[in-house]
Amino acid sequence: MSGLSVSSTDGRTLEEASDFNSMAVWGVSEGDDVLARWSDGLLYLGNVKRVDGVRQCCLVRFEDHSEFWVLRKDIHSFATASEGVCCVCEAPPLKEPLFHCHKCHHGFHPQCHTPPVEPEADAHSWVCRQCVFAVATKRGGAMKRGRFARLMQAMKQQLPYRLAALDWDPQHLTNQQQCYCYCAGPGEWNLKMLQCGSCGQWFHEACTQCLSKPLLYGDRFYQFQCSVCTKGAETISRLPMNWVDLAHLLLYHLSLCCKRKYFHFEREILSFANENWDSLLLGPVSPARDTQTPHKY
């Protein structure tokens, strides 16, 4: 697990963070095994140690024994909702029966799910958005082929939240709700995320299906449009880069990976560039006389 906390304890230690509601909240109780969505867009298995009903978050212990506060919206419980009610609005069936996910068995009103369940959907094989993303999201980019890739592509054309309701910082890098991407999970804009040039939202590498190579940390040299804005498949193209851009990108990526500030130019920086040249997607090798566009050594 990364050392980044999804939700902080306002500077308090675990011993000082008292007065928590130990009763079940939103269908999650202490001791429950859950899947928690991390800032990389992926789900990780953990166990709920504490529940804070006021701040709507849970202290989750992960398999590597690390513990972090995770917002309730980013926690997916294995426990099924009360029988016969929708897991979103907790109301019983209306005119039509609930659709139950083939994988998690949670029930949904057709209009409570995002996107709404089509009337012609097969009730015996239908899979909810949460389970589709749990299967299809991958490091380096989501699945591009198969049933779950197709389901994900269709579901990505509608966000499960209202984008206009998010409160952004002046640079449009973070929002107070910690809500990003198609999955509505937490995120860190500089840790392998793409910003849509149309709507401005940030999207996890793991949730996108347009990448041919994994992203480098801090790589913003892309023109990207999300599936919501295109009403279909994502689009992406590499922006022009010069040697200064490339040097800054490589140094930033290496500093995060190696947790160091200084690197040897030939042994580390140039070596990394040569070894990962194809992954940088800089296009054809430029003539040596071109001093602005990077070319392989």
Side-chain angles (χ1 to χ4, degrees):
M1 292 293 295
S2 165
L4 296 172
S5 174
V6 178
S7 179
S8 70
T9 58
D10 298 325
R12 296 180 295 177
T13 64
L14 294 180
E15 291 74 21
E16 294 168 334
S18 58
D19 194 26
F20 293 110
N21 181 4
S22 61
M23 302 297 291
V25 180
W26 334 279
V28 177
S29 306
E30 292 181 7
D32 283 356
D33 289 327
V34 296
L35 289 173
R37 192 173 300 282
W38 204 245
S39 55
D40 58 5
L42 298 172
L43 292 168
Y44 295 88
L45 182 64
N47 184 268
V48 175
K49 309 308 294 184
R50 300 189 187 186
V51 177
D52 185 346
V54 176
R55 293 189 298 152
Q56 298 189 23
C57 59
C58 299
L59 180 64
V60 179
R61 176 178 292 173
F62 295 95
E63 291 183 298
D64 62 356
H65 304 295
S66 62
E67 295 186 351
F68 293 96
W69 287 100
V70 182
L71 294 176
R72 174 61 186 95
K73 72 177 182 66
D74 301 320
I75 292 176
H76 305 284
S77 174
F78 294 107
T80 57
S82 301
E83 187 175 355
V85 301
C86 173
C87 68
V88 178
C89 68
E90 298 185 348
L94 302 175
K95 294 181 180 180
E96 301 175 346
L98 298 176
F99 269 83
H100 286 84
C101 175
H102 180 65
K103 285 193 167 290
C104 67
H105 307 296
H106 288 146
F108 296 81
H109 291 126
Q111 294 302 315
C112 286
H113 187 267
T114 305
V117 184
E118 298 292 340
E120 61 271 17
D122 184 358
H124 299 290
S125 62
W126 178 77
V127 182
C128 72
R129 185 187 188 99
Q130 171 185 322
C131 291
V132 167
F133 273 71
V135 172
T137 51
K138 306 288 181 183
R139 286 189 180 90
M143 296 172 60
K144 298 180 177 66
R145 297 182 180 86
R147 181 193 177 205
F148 282 91
R150 293 191 297 271
L151 290 173
M152 185 184 201
Q153 177 59 70
M155 291 182 177
K156 282 163 54 171
Q157 296 179 41
Q158 183 174 343
L159 297 176
Y161 55 90
R162 197 162 62 89
L163 187 59
L166 301 180
D167 301 308
W168 292 88
D169 69 340
Q171 292 77 35
H172 207 85
L173 300 177
T174 61
N175 62 67
Q176 293 182 12
Q177 292 81 3
Q178 299 185 47
C179 184
Y180 306 92
C181 194
Y182 308 108
C183 64
E188 300 286 343
W189 69 269
N190 58 331
L191 300 181
K192 300 198 174 187
M193 297 189 78
L194 290 167
Q195 186 178 32
C196 177
S198 297
C199 67
Q201 178 58 295
W202 291 87
F203 295 85
H204 301 113
E205 171 195 72
C207 296
T208 58
Q209 296 171 288
C210 60
L211 293 170
S212 59
K213 300 289 184 179
L215 293 173
L216 269 65
Y217 290 117
D219 192 347
R220 298 186 64 180
F221 295 93
Y222 284 102
Q223 182 65 43
F224 169 76
Q225 278 194 307
C226 69
S227 290
V228 179
C229 294
T230 64
K231 304 299 181 185
E234 301 152 339
T235 63
I236 190 169
S237 60
R238 177 58 109 177
L239 295 175
M241 296 176 65
N242 57 36
W243 268 115
V244 175
D245 297 329
L246 181 59
H248 286 165
L249 175 59
L250 295 179
L251 283 172
Y252 188 81
H253 178 81
L254 288 171
S255 66
L256 287 183
C257 291
C258 304
K259 302 187 186 306
R260 289 191 285 124
K261 292 183 178 180
Y262 304 103
F263 299 89
H264 192 279
F265 179 70
E266 292 186 357
R267 289 201 307 267
E268 296 177 295
I269 299 176
L270 280 184
S271 175
F272 180 85
N274 282 327
E275 292 173 4
N276 296 274
W277 192 259
D278 292 338
S279 297
L280 292 170
L281 300 175
L282 297 177
V285 176
S286 303
R289 65 176 178 273
D290 186 348
T291 58
Q292 293 301 312
T293 304
H295 55 276
K296 189 174 181 179
Y297 268 73

